[in-house]
Amino acid sequence: MDAKRQDKALARQALERDRRRWPREAQPDNEAAPSLAPALEPLRFSTLELAPEDQFVAWQAHMAPLVEIKLPDDKSLDDGFAADHTAWNFGGMLIVQQRAPAHGYMRSAAKLRSSSIDHWYIALPHTGRSWTEVDRRVAENQPGKLEIRSLGYPFRGRATESQSLFLYLPRDLFADAAATLDAKNNSILSGNFADLLLDYLYSIEARLRSLTADDLPRIVHATRSMIIACLSPPAEHAAATEQLMSVALMERARRYVHNNLDAAHLTPDSMCRALGVSRSRLYQLFEPSGGVLHYIQSRRLLAAHVALSDPSDSRRIVNIAEAVGFSSAANFSRAFSKEFGYSPREVRSSVVLPRPAHSVSHAGHEEASSFEHWLKALGS
C-alpha cells in the first residue's frame, strides 16, 4: 500500500510539472490587463532660446489668458526674463511646473469680463515667495505651503524669483462645495490634511512621466477629495463619499448641457429625464451655480463669447446666437450685454488681448495658444 501511495504521489508531481509547461489560455478582451504606457505628453514653453530683449514679451503673451505680467521697477526688457513653463493635462485638472524671475501679476476685472476661465488653482512654491491681494487681504506664500485662489475674482500681487507647482481645477468640480471654497479664496491651507495634500502633490509630480490613462481620473478625484478635506471642518470629512457622488452627477449634468447648448429642449425637465433625477435634486445640484436656468444661459453666453472672440470664426452674430440656443437675436444681445457689460458687436470688432510689440517665435506662439486652449477646455 505504501508503494502504491508513493507511486500516486510521484504521478501527481509529474502531472504538475507538465501542467506548468502548458501554454496559458488567452484572456478574454474584457479581462486584458490595462495599458501601462505613460499617458501624459507635456506641453513646454520656454523663453531661454529667445534674445534677452524678447524674453519678457514672450512670457507676457504666454501668460495673457491668466494674468497680466509686469517687470519689477528696477528691471528692463534688456535684462532678459529667463522662464519656463511645463503643463500636464489630466483632463479634469492641469498641473504646471514653472520657473520665473521676479515679477508682478494682476488679473483685472476687465480681463474677467472677457474670459471664460474661472477655475480654482493651487500654488505650491518649491523656492521663492509671493504676496497676493484679494479685496485688500494679502496672502503670503512660501515653500512648504499651499495657497488656493479663484480665477473668477480679481487679484494682484508680486513674486520673487521662484520655482513652483500649480494646479488648475475647473469650478464645476467643486459645485457642491462652492461656498466652502469661496470662503477660503486667497488663503494658505494649514493642518494635517494640508500636509498630507502637500506630500501627495509632491508624489504626483515625481511620477508625471509614468502615469497611465487609468490613473488620471482617479488622481483628479483623489485630489478633489483631499482639497475638500483640507477646507472642511472635521465633522464633514465623513461626507466625502456623498460629495464624490454629487460631483459625478454634476459632471454628467454639465456634459449634458455642453452637448445640448443648441437644443430647444434643453430644460430642467429634459435634464431630469436624461439624468434620472428628481426636479428637487436637480435644483439642489445647481443651487451653488445660481440655478439650472442661470447655469444653462451662462454656458450659452460663454460659448458665444468664445466664438465671437475667435478671429477664424466668420459666422454672423445671429448665426452664433442660434448655434448656442437663442431663437431671438434681440434677446441674445440683451442677455450678452447684461452678462459681460458690452455687446456682441463690440467683442467682434475689438481686440481683447494686446499683441506683443516684439516678435515672438512661431513655435512660442503655437505653444501659448495651446496652453490657452487647455485652460478653456478644462473640465469640458
Side-chain angles (χ1 to χ4, degrees):
M1 291 296 293
D2 290 342
K4 289 183 178 180
R5 281 198 296 269
Q6 186 175 6
D7 290 341
K8 288 182 180 180
L10 291 173
R12 283 196 299 270
Q13 291 175 6
L15 180 62
E16 182 62 26
R17 285 195 300 271
D18 289 340
R19 184 181 291 115
R20 290 171 186 168
R21 299 190 186 104
W22 295 345
R24 294 182 179 273
E25 293 182 2
Q27 294 293 322
D29 290 343
N30 60 348
E31 295 180 3
S35 172
L36 298 180
L40 296 175
E41 184 69 28
L43 176 65
R44 295 188 176 91
F45 177 83
S46 175
T47 67
L48 299 180
E49 296 181 359
L50 300 176
E53 63 270 19
D54 291 332
Q55 290 178 344
F56 180 70
V57 177
W59 187 254
Q60 275 186 313
H62 185 69
M63 299 303 294
L66 292 174
V67 290
E68 300 152 20
I69 303 291
K70 288 179 56 179
L71 283 171
D73 292 339
D74 61 344
K75 297 292 182 181
S76 70
L77 293 178
D78 292 336
D79 293 323
F81 197 87
D84 58 68
H85 183 279
T86 302
W88 307 79
N89 195 341
F90 285 63
M93 174 176 77
L94 300 183
I95 287 184
V96 171
Q97 297 165 299
Q98 177 179 303
R99 289 188 299 171
H103 62 278
Y105 50 87
M106 180 171 69
R107 186 164 175 83
S108 65
K111 181 175 287 291
L112 286 177
R113 287 196 298 269
S114 64
S115 175
S116 60
I117 299 170
D118 63 352
H119 312 316
W120 287 97
Y121 81 97
I122 289 179
L124 189 168
H126 294 306
T127 63
R129 289 174 175 260
S130 66
W131 296 263
T132 308
E133 179 187 353
V134 175
D135 292 334
R136 299 183 179 181
R137 184 166 58 89
V138 176
E140 179 181 351
N141 204 8
Q142 58 186 307
K145 298 294 184 182
L146 292 166
E147 182 179 15
I148 186 167
R149 187 174 302 112
S150 170
L151 292 170
Y153 293 86
F155 59 81
R156 62 178 182 175
R158 63 183 180 90
T160 65
E161 181 176 2
S162 58
Q163 179 178 351
S164 303
L165 186 73
F166 294 94
L167 272 72
Y168 295 91
L169 303 111
R171 179 168 289 271
D172 287 351
L173 189 62
F174 300 95
D176 60 328
T180 300
L181 267 73
D182 283 334
K184 295 290 187 178
N185 184 30
N186 198 46
S187 64
I188 306 299
L189 305 183
S190 60
N192 289 332
F193 277 96
D195 293 339
L196 289 172
L197 177 58
L198 191 72
D199 292 340
Y200 173 69
L201 296 179
Y202 281 139
S203 68
I204 292 176
E205 184 179 18
R207 293 170 173 80
L208 286 170
R209 298 182 183 279
S210 61
L211 297 174
T212 68
D214 287 343
D215 294 330
L216 304 187
R218 298 175 183 177
I219 288 174
V220 172
H221 284 295
T223 303
R224 187 257 181 202
S225 297
M226 295 187 72
I227 292 171
I228 292 293
C230 288
L231 301 175
S232 302
E236 297 180 12
H237 292 165
T241 301
E242 183 179 349
Q243 289 173 346
L244 284 175
M245 292 175 64
S246 293
V247 168
L249 179 59
M250 184 64 187
E251 175 67 12
R252 288 173 56 209
R254 187 191 57 73
R255 289 187 181 277
Y256 181 82
V257 170
H258 179 78
N259 293 331
N260 293 276
L261 285 178
D262 62 340
H265 67 264
L266 182 55
T267 64
D269 285 339
S270 71
M271 292 181 66
C272 287
R273 290 192 295 272
L275 300 173
V277 298
S278 66
R279 288 177 67 92
S280 60
R281 180 70 179 103
L282 186 72
Y283 291 156
Q284 180 187 44
L285 193 67
F286 280 91
E287 185 178 1
S289 302
V292 183
L293 295 177
H294 178 268
Y295 180 85
I296 292 173
Q297 177 155 300
S298 294
R299 296 296 104 179
R300 283 173 163 164
L301 292 172
L302 278 173
H305 197 295
V306 170
L308 290 166
S309 303
D310 185 354
S312 66
D313 193 330
S314 59
R315 289 178 296 172
R316 298 168 58 206
I317 293 177
V318 64
N319 297 134
I320 290 176
E322 291 173 354
V324 296
F326 283 87
S327 57
S328 165
N331 288 343
F332 168 71
S333 183
R334 281 195 296 270
F336 191 97
S337 299
K338 182 178 179 181
E339 181 80 3
F340 299 110
Y342 42 79
S343 70
R345 194 172 300 278
E346 288 177 289
V347 178
R348 176 52 63 82
S349 62
S350 65
V351 178
V352 176
L353 293 174
R355 294 189 179 276
H358 291 65
S359 63
V360 179
S361 69
H362 178 72
H365 175 72
E366 285 298 318
E367 284 188 299
S369 298
S370 297
F371 179 55
E372 180 177 4
H373 174 74
W374 279 13
L375 286 168
K376 289 181 175 179
L378 182 58
S380 297

